[in-house]
Amino acid sequence: MPDTDDRGGSLAATPAQTIGPFFGHALPVPDGGRIAPEGHPDAVTVHGLVRDGAGVPVPDALLEFWQAGPDGSLAGAPGSLRRDPREQAPAPPERLTPRPPLGALLGRDGAVFTGFGRVPTDAGGRYAVRTLRPAAAGRSNAAPHLAVCVHARGLLHHLFTRVYFPEHTAAHATDPLLAQLPEERARTLLARPDGPGRYRFDVQLQQSADGAFEETVFLAFR
Amino acid sequence: MTAPASPAPPPPAPAPYRGAVERHPRRPLLPFDTGTDPDAVELTGPVFGPADVGEWDADLTRQHPGEPLGERITVTGRILDRAGRPVRGQLVEIWQANAAGRYTHRQDRHPAPLDPNFTGVGRCRTDDRGRYAFTTVRPGAYPLPDESSWRPAHIHFSFFGTAFTQRLVTQMYFPGDPLLPYDQILAAVRDPADRHRLVAAFDHALSLPAGPLAYRWDVVLDGPSATWTEEGR
C-alpha cells in the first residue's frame, strides 16, 4: 500500500489531476440533471452559467450535485448513473465513430429521488438540474443546501461549493458556513428566485478583473 | 570495446501545467471545519448499486462485437480512505485513448485511427475489500494540440468515496514510460512523492501467461477525518 505521511500516521492521499478536455464521452449521462422523480409536483429547476475570470462562459465543465431530500434524509438511492443492460445502442450517424459500448447509458429511471445529479455545461456554459428542495439534514443549525463539485478542463483540482435557497433567511443567520462570510461573499452561495419553481445559480470560477463578477466561494473541507 | 555510454543527463524539468489560468480561483479556498456541522451533507455521498454498472463495463475489450487493437492489460488495486479503511461499494469510472492515442470524442482531432471496437469507457464498483479491476488495452501516447510535447500513456480515473468530500478525479500513468519526466500535466503535481503515487506498478505475478499484462494501482481518498464508515464512531 502507499506509504504514510506525517499527518498522524494516516495514508497520503492520491493527488488530483485535471479532468481534461475529453471526458464528454465518458462521464455525462442522459437525464443526469433530473434528480427529482419525473413529474413530481414540488420539483424545482436550478440553472445557471459557469464563467471564468474573463467573463467567458465555460463550455466544458462538469457539475455534480449531492443533497438531502425534502425530509432531510441523506440516504439517497442507487440508480443515478443507470446503464441499459439489454443491448447495444444504435450506431451514431458519424460513419467512423465507434458505437457506444454494450449496455449504453440509460439515465435514471425517473421514479426515485437519488439525491445525486451530474450535468455538463453546454456550448454556452449553461447547466440545469431539476430537483426537490432539500431540508436541513440532521439536527444541526445548518441551513438546507445542495453540495456542488465543479470539474473543468484546465482546473488542476475540482472545486467544492454550495447552493443555498433564498427562502431560508432565518436558517442562514445560524448556518456555520454562511455565518463566517461577509455579505458580498455569502451572496455568491445564494440562488436567486427566477420565476415560479426556478432558481438561478451562477458559478464564477475567478473574480473578474473589472469586479463585475464576484468569485464564488469555494470550500476546503477538513 | 568502447566504454559504456555515460548516463543520459536528466531531462530539463517541464514547466508545470497551470491549466487555464483564468479558471483558477484568485481567493484562497474557504476552510470549512465539518466539526462545526457534523450533519454536513458533504460527509455522506451518493450510493451506487448494481443498476449503475453494466455487465461489460469493467472489460473494455468486450464492449463491441469485434476485438479492439492493442496490448491487453488489467488494472487493479484497492481504494482506501486516509485511515486505511477500504472504500466499499463505490463507483470507479475510467476513460482513455485507444491503443493509437485517439479518444472516441468528436473534438479529438489527433490524426490517429479510431478503433471501431474500442470506446475507452469503463466503470465498476469496489468490492468488500475496496478492490476495483478493469480489463482494457494500453492507451497510446499522443501530442498535445497546442504544445510542443507528447502526453505519456495514461488512464483517467474518477472515484467516489463514502463522503462527497472524498471525490477524486485523476490520471494513472504507466511505470517506465519515457515520456513521464517531460509531461507538464504530471509535473503540475509538484511533490515527487505525490507524482510517484500516480504511477502504477507492473505486477508480473498477476500477469497470466498469454493473458493481459497486469498493473496494480492503489488509491487513497482524502476527506475530513470525521468521515465515518461502519467501522468508525
Side-chain angles (χ1 to χ4, degrees), chain A residues 148-150 158-162 217-219 221, chain B residues 164-165 167:
Chain A
V148 187
C149 185
V150 182
H158 50 270
L159 296 167
F160 290 109
T161 186
R162 286 180 172 185
V217 170
F218 297 108
L219 306 169
F221 291 97
Chain B
F164 199 61
T165 52
R167 190 78 177 89

Side-chain angles (χ1 to χ4, degrees), chain A residues 1-3 5 7 9-27 29 51-54 57-62 64-68 74-83 85 88 92-94 96-103 105 114 116 118 137-142 145-149 151-162 175-177 180-181 185 205-209 214-215 217-222, chain B residues 17-57 62-65 78 80-85 91 93-96 103-109 114-123 142 151 156 158-160 164-171 173 183 185-189 193-195 197-198 217-225:
Chain A
M1 278 309 299
D3 47 345
D5 67 6
R7 285 170 58 170
S10 68
L11 298 172
T14 304
Q17 292 257 273
T18 176
I19 196 168
F22 299 137
F23 64 82
H25 71 307
L27 298 181
V29 296
R51 258 187 312 251
D52 68 15
V58 174
D60 48 12
L62 184 78
E64 293 178 321
F65 295 81
W66 170 240
Q67 64 171 104
L74 281 165
S80 55
L81 299 174
R82 200 163 63 104
R83 280 194 175 273
Q88 190 172 21
E94 206 169 280
L96 287 175
T97 302
R99 288 161 175 258
L102 286 163
L105 284 168
T114 60
F116 175 71
R118 171 189 274 176
R139 288 174 295 174
S140 70
N141 53 359
H145 62 270
L146 311 181
V148 187
C149 185
H151 310 266
R153 174 192 62 79
L155 270 186
L156 299 178
H157 200 288
H158 50 270
L159 296 167
F160 290 109
T161 186
R162 286 180 172 185
D175 184 84
L177 173 60
Q180 59 177 294
L181 289 170
R185 298 289 288 144
L205 293 176
Q206 182 185 94
Q207 180 80 20
S208 63
E214 176 75 22
E215 184 175 298
V217 170
F218 297 108
L219 306 169
F221 291 97
R222 53 184 193 207
Chain B
Y17 175 73
R18 286 278 295 117
V21 292
E22 66 282 359
R23 292 182 175 191
H24 289 227
R26 283 188 216 276
R27 299 181 187 270
L29 303 185
L30 181 74
F32 183 66
D33 182 358
T34 48
T36 66
D37 180 8
D39 295 312
V41 169
E42 292 87 349
L43 293 182
T44 60
V47 293
F48 300 102
D52 291 300
V53 178
E55 186 181 356
W56 309 104
D57 284 357
R62 298 179 67 194
Q63 295 175 348
H64 298 276
R78 290 185 77 197
L80 304 178
D81 67 13
R82 291 188 66 128
R85 298 173 292 205
L91 193 67
E93 297 166 283
I94 64 171
W95 67 103
Q96 63 169 92
Y103 287 91
T104 309
H105 190 283
R106 285 166 194 273
Q107 284 165 21
D108 185 359
R109 293 303 178 200
L114 284 165
D115 183 341
N117 292 311
F118 189 77
T119 306
V121 175
R123 53 175 61 188
Y142 57 84
R151 293 228 59 208
H156 295 265
S158 156
F159 299 97
F160 287 89
F164 199 61
T165 52
Q166 290 181 325
R167 190 78 177 89
L168 176 68
V169 168
T170 189
Q171 301 177 29
Y173 299 88
D183 184 37
I185 291 175
L186 181 57
V189 176
D194 280 343
R195 281 200 297 277
R197 286 184 241 287
L198 296 181
W217 188 47
D218 294 327
V219 171
V220 177
L221 301 184
D222 208 344
S225 53

